[in-house]
Each structure stands twice: as structure tokens, then as C-alpha cells.
Amino acid sequence: MSCTCLVSFLQTRMKSMEIKLYNTLSKKKEVFKPIKAGQVSMYNCGPTVYDTPHIGNYRTFVMNDLLRRMLEYFDYKVDQVMNVTDVDDKTIKKSREQNVPLKTVTEKYEKLFLAGLKSLNILTPHHLIKATDCIQDMIGLVQLLIEKDFAYKTSDGIYMSIDKVKDYGKLAGLKAQSTKDEKTHASYHEPKSRVANDEYDKEDPRDFALWKLKTPEDGDNSWQSPFGEGRPGWHIECSAMAITELGDTIDIHTGGSDLIFPHHTNEIAQSESATGKKFANYWIHGGFMTIKEEKMSKSKGNIIKLEDLAERSLTPLAYRYWLLMAHYRSPVHFSFDALEAALNALNRLKNTMNDYPRGGTVINSYKERFGAYISDDLDMPKALALVWELLKDDTQSPADKRATILDFDRVFGLNLGIEDKSSKVPFEIQALVLEREKARAAKDWSKADKLRVEIENGGYEVKDTSNGVQVRAKL
Ligand code: AMP
Ligand code: ZN
């Protein structure tokens, strides 16, 4: 086969590569089949803008980004929608505590969120939608649910009647029995079986609020509706935004695993009851990030933000690299030591890439393996390991290695082609090299050897050439 033929054969093969994704709904890996050939509609639950996002939140946003980049790598046209929750229990509580308008709170944290996306090289979703811009869509959906008799009115709002939803709880694997059990104890129209809060426990599925009638605590944050002045519940927000932007049935819906219940469970109940159609074909959930085995949460005081990393000179892209080392569904435990190791690895990788000559071509055998890994439920740890394997492969030219890794970086998103001053030889290593030079000039060979070991332990190697000493990151 001629060279051009081989390239086009490989491109066709990459395009037709079977993508497998783990679907929380079926609890197994499935072959991905989009509704429209070559196109993907994807809805990501976005941030609740009441505080600076923590690195756990960004783990999920990086997962969304990797998913989009992987699909685009295989030439799918992705339509990515992410919401910004700028009205809910938490945002209103914060504006009340700080005694400022809701928008003052939400606009501040939305800006920080967007800056975080940029620093992590996360592609901006095609549509970033604020809940407060879609209130009429939410009202319309609630109205439809009332008309279809899935919702009822109480003294404090409109509630979704979960016993009317045939397969309520299917995503979270709730036993149908649990709702029935409750029904034998109390009618759903009694207060015990309803919940007005946006968040509650999986062990306690109940009728939930679609529309919350105005209370004094809500301040100015209410809207007129046919069922009284009030505000939407958190779950109806996402259903309405997803359906309005992407249609009744979407290809992929994502979020962190904490959203499986109640949020995504309730989104399915509302959406499928209203439209009579399947809401999302693939439900993708990211594993949680913990710190010292605990859930990262404000109440535990163990929140870590991007600025905490910056204080220790740990870059957002080092964090992104560290995330690539674990499968997106695995829970990960954060530690600063692990992140430092990731930063060193990323710097070594970038330095090596910078040293390699430009103008090579992508190595097909490696590209094929890369495609096989990323299409297998986004196996980024294997894809990353492949990079290091390639770097050590003496049968490939440095220029081709560079071209191949830059091709992979369309998915990694590590900006490997951009020379980064901060990834140059660190100051401490430069100091050791200088000291070694002095030791060599003084013919103190044992000191020079000790310093070489120290430099190597720091991840660098020195070479004494006729042009002087050369320092580079170790592979
Ligand atoms: P929130 O701003 O709380 O609405 O969360 C935004 C996204 O971050 C959601 O998809 C959550 O599931 C996700 N998330 C929250 N905490 C973590 C965590 N510790 N690890 C991974 N994802 C998280
Ligand atoms: Zn959502």
C-alpha cells in the first residue's frame, strides 16, 4: 500500500472506530451509537455559582472536556451544552448571608469558574446557559407535568408525584419497593412524603419540588407563573435547559457521581413524564475526588481550590496531567505530593517535546493504539502510558515522536506544543549543575559524582559535551 493510501485507510479506520462508554443507566460498557450519524448532543451539569469551584468540581469538568475532545478526535460534531445554576437553595442562601443581590454572588463566581476552565485548557462549551435566562422554559415544563397529571399543587409549591412515574429511580438502581413501602405508610400528599429542598438522601426518595412558592427567605428572587410567584426547583432547571437546547432525547448526559440521586434521577422522571420519550441515551458519571479519604466539602473544611495549588507553584495543567493518570470513573485521593510528581512528569514531557525537531509525521501504529485506548471508555491512563513508551522507542525519530504526541494532545489538552518558560530546568537544579561544574574544575570528582546523583534524583541528567555541559529532563 502506498504511503498516501495507508494514511487515508487509517483515517477511515479511526473514523469508524467503535467507541465504548460506561452507561450508568445499564451499568455496563456500551457501544456508543449517536441519534444522528456523526453528531453528538451532550448536556453537562455545570457549576452552582455560590462559591469558588474546588478542584473536585474541576475533575468533573475535565472529564466532560476529555469526552468532547475524544469524540471530536474521531470527527464527531459535538453540540455541548452546560448550565450555570445561578438560582437555587445554595445561591439564594449565600446572597442572603452576604446581604447582596443574587446576581452579585453568581456573577462573581461564574467569572471565577470561567477563568478556571481557561487555566485548565477546558474547551468552552458551545452553549453555557444560565438558569435565570430560562425561567419561562421551566414554567412551561412544570405546566405540562401538571396537565399530564404527574404534578400536584400544595400550599408551598408544585410537586412531582413519583409514584406516577413507572420506573422512578432506575438510574440510581432504587428498588421500586422503596417508594411503594413509603406509600403504605403515608399518602404522597402528606407533608412527610414530600421534600422542598433540592438535595436529600437516596434512602429517602420522595415527591420533590418543581416550583417553590415565594418565601420571605427568597428575597427578590422570584418570578410570576400561572401557579403563583416563586422559583424553580433545581432539578426542573436542568430538564428544561437540556430539552430546550438539545431536544427531547439527547445522546449524552454527564455529571459527578453525586448527581445520580436525586438530581439526575429526578431529571429523568420530569423529562420522560413530560415528553413521553427517553431523556438521555448515555449517562456518564465521573468518580469523586476525596482528600484524606473524605469527601471534599466546605463543611469538612477540606476544600482545595486552584489558587491553593498556585501558592505551591503547582500549575492547573499539572493538575490536568494528574487527572489523566486515573480513569475518570475511579475515585481519586488528592495529595500535594502526588501533584508534585505530576508536575515533574509534565515538565519532563514538555522539555523533551521542546528539544525534539519539528516537521515529523504521525506514527500510524501508535495512533491506532491511542485510538483504541481512548475509545475504550476514555482510558486515559493507558493513553498517557503510551506517550512514555513512545518517547523511549529508539526505532522512531524524535520529529515523528513529537508529531505523534502533538496529535494525541488534541485529546490530552496539555498544551504540549507550547514552550513554557516555567518548564525549563528548575532553579534548584541549575544551582546543583553550577556547583558540579565548580567541583569538576577543582578536580573534586567524588563531590561532582554526588552532585550528579542529586541532579538525577531531581529528574534531570547532565551530559558533558565538547560544547559544555548539557542538562535535560530524564525520560
Ligand atoms: P456543583 O457546583 O456543586 O453543582 O458541582 C459541579 C459539578 O462538580 C457536578 O457535576 C458535581 O457532581 C461535581 N463535583 C462536586 N464535588 C466533586 C468532587 N469532590 N469530585 C468530583 N466531582 C465533584
Ligand atoms: Zn443538572
Side-chain angles (χ1 to χ4, degrees):
M1 209 184 282
S2 76
C3 189
T4 14
C5 276
L6 182 68
V7 171
S8 81
F9 166 73
L10 200 88
Q11 277 169 349
T12 320
R13 218 161 118 182
M14 292 297 276
K15 270 189 189 172
S16 61
M17 178 92 62
E18 198 168 72
I19 292 173
K20 283 183 238 117
L21 293 173
Y22 182 88
N23 191 348
T24 310
L25 198 56
S26 62
K27 290 164 193 57
K28 51 179 196 262
K29 253 192 235 177
E30 290 177 24
V31 174
F32 175 66
K33 290 199 189 88
I35 300 164
K36 288 189 196 147
Q39 295 180 32
V40 181
S41 53
M42 172 160 83
Y43 185 89
N44 311 131
C45 282
T48 307
V49 281
Y50 73 111
D51 203 347
T52 314
H54 57 67
I55 59 170
N57 298 132
Y58 284 118
R59 180 184 192 202
T60 299
F61 301 139
V62 167
M63 172 194 79
N64 297 331
D65 187 54
L66 292 172
L67 191 52
R68 165 175 166 183
R69 284 170 179 267
M70 181 269 283
L71 291 162
E72 288 179 345
Y73 187 82
F74 293 118
D75 284 333
Y76 282 96
K77 192 176 178 317
V78 182
D79 195 4
Q80 185 189 13
V81 175
M82 187 185 280
N83 72 295
V84 173
T85 305
D86 63 348
V87 57
D88 79 325
D89 295 351
K90 290 180 190 162
T91 43
I92 290 180
K93 182 163 177 264
K94 185 79 172 239
S95 95
R96 205 173 52 238
E97 282 167 4
Q98 299 198 333
N99 200 21
V100 292
L102 184 63
K103 274 215 175 311
T104 309
V105 172
T106 57
E107 282 175 358
K108 172 180 170 186
Y109 293 113
E110 189 190 351
K111 260 193 208 136
L112 285 170
F113 158 72
L114 293 174
L117 288 192
K118 234 188 199 127
S119 73
L120 282 156
N121 204 19
I122 293 174
L123 301 171
T124 311
H126 305 101
H127 312 273
L128 257 178
I129 323 163
K130 289 184 198 157
T132 51
D133 287 338
C134 308
I135 302 289
Q136 291 314 315
D137 299 320
M138 296 160 198
I139 292 174
L141 199 57
V142 176
Q143 230 164 347
L144 196 57
L145 287 166
I146 296 173
E147 278 160 29
K148 292 195 168 187
D149 201 28
F150 285 104
Y152 59 90
K153 189 165 186 178
T154 70
S155 57
D156 64 347
I158 306 290
Y159 284 80
M160 181 82 189
S161 181
I162 65 170
D163 64 339
K164 299 246 170 85
V165 185
K166 190 168 70 323
D167 45 10
Y168 183 82
K170 61 185 172 186
L171 184 74
L174 299 186
K175 287 186 226 110
Q177 206 192 335
S178 60
T179 58
K180 277 199 195 108
D181 276 356
E182 200 177 357
K183 203 164 185 293
T184 59
H185 296 301
S187 142
Y188 273 20
H189 293 248
E190 286 175 20
K192 182 192 169 295
S193 57
R194 285 201 304 272
V195 56
N197 295 343
D198 289 332
E199 290 182 83
Y200 51 97
D201 284 343
K202 189 171 160 182
E203 286 63 43
D204 198 12
R206 282 180 281 169
D207 288 3
F208 57 90
L210 299 170
W211 187 260
K212 307 180 189 199
L213 289 177
K214 185 177 164 63
T215 65
E217 289 79 46
D218 289 341
D220 298 334
N221 307 301
S222 58
W223 290 262
Q224 295 298 337
S225 85
F227 13 87
E229 191 177 342
R231 63 178 172 100
W234 173 37
H235 316 300
I236 200 78
E237 293 183 2
C238 279
S239 283
M241 287 186 272
I243 291 172
T244 306
E245 287 297 320
L246 296 170
D248 292 350
T249 304
I250 60 180
D251 287 306
I252 300 178
H253 196 311
T254 75
S257 54
D258 59 324
L259 299 190
I260 296 172
F261 187 91
H263 188 51
H264 290 167
T265 293
N266 291 350
E267 270 190 59
I268 291 176
Q270 301 160 152
S271 309
E272 297 191 351
S273 302
T275 66
K277 295 184 196 144
K278 190 174 183 185
F279 179 41
N281 286 332
Y282 300 86
W283 285 88
I284 311 292
H285 290 99
F288 237 55
M289 166 172 306
T290 53
I291 180 156
K292 291 186 190 134
E293 315 281 321
E294 282 184 331
K295 184 176 164 175
M296 199 178 285
S297 77
K298 273 201 294 161
S299 56
K300 292 203 164 76
N302 61 0
I303 293 288
I304 296 178
K305 299 178 178 173
L306 290 175
E307 64 230 42
D308 300 320
L309 305 187
E311 267 175 29
R312 295 174 183 234
S313 305
L314 295 165
T315 59
L317 288 183
Y319 177 60
R320 185 170 174 119
Y321 182 97
W322 181 68
L323 290 175
L324 295 175
M325 293 166 71
H327 191 271
Y328 78 87
R329 279 192 285 120
S330 317
V332 289
H333 305 303
F334 177 82
S335 79
F336 283 107
D337 287 349
L339 200 52
E340 258 159 43
L343 177 67
N344 284 334
L346 177 61
N347 284 346
R348 282 210 304 278
L349 180 55
K350 286 197 89 163
N351 285 335
T352 310
M353 293 286 284
N354 289 339
D355 287 352
Y356 281 166
R358 278 59 176 161
T361 48
V362 175
I363 307 161
N364 291 331
S365 56
Y366 277 92
K367 186 175 172 77
E368 267 204 79
R369 285 174 65 196
F370 179 75
Y373 294 148
I374 61 168
S375 60
D376 182 14
D377 196 29
L378 272 179
D379 197 338
M380 302 316 287
K382 277 199 187 143
L384 201 55
L386 185 68
V387 168
W388 292 97
E389 185 186 323
L390 172 56
L391 290 176
K392 287 178 187 155
D393 184 346
D394 293 335
T395 66
Q396 305 295 343
S397 80
D400 288 354
K401 289 182 186 184
R402 186 170 197 278
T404 308
I405 295 169
L406 285 186
D407 177 63
F408 299 173
D409 199 37
R410 285 159 49 203
V411 183
F412 291 140
L414 293 168
N415 278 345
L416 295 175
I418 298 172
E419 201 163 337
D420 175 4
K421 299 275 182 293
S422 66
S423 71
K424 289 284 177 208
V425 180
F427 177 73
E428 321 81 78
I429 301 289
Q430 286 180 33
L432 291 174
V433 172
L434 214 64
E435 221 182 312
R436 180 173 168 274
E437 284 299 278
K438 280 189 202 153
R440 274 162 48 85
K443 298 199 173 5
D444 186 347
W445 306 118
S446 84
K447 185 171 179 189
D449 283 347
K450 268 191 207 142
L451 285 161
R452 174 193 285 276
V453 172
E454 261 190 76
I455 292 165
E456 285 177 356
N457 289 344
Y460 287 80
E461 58 191 7
V462 277
K463 233 189 207 163
D464 302 307
T465 71
S466 51
N467 291 332
V469 64
Q470 279 181 3
V471 194
R472 51 173 291 164
K474 269 200 309 190
L475 290 184

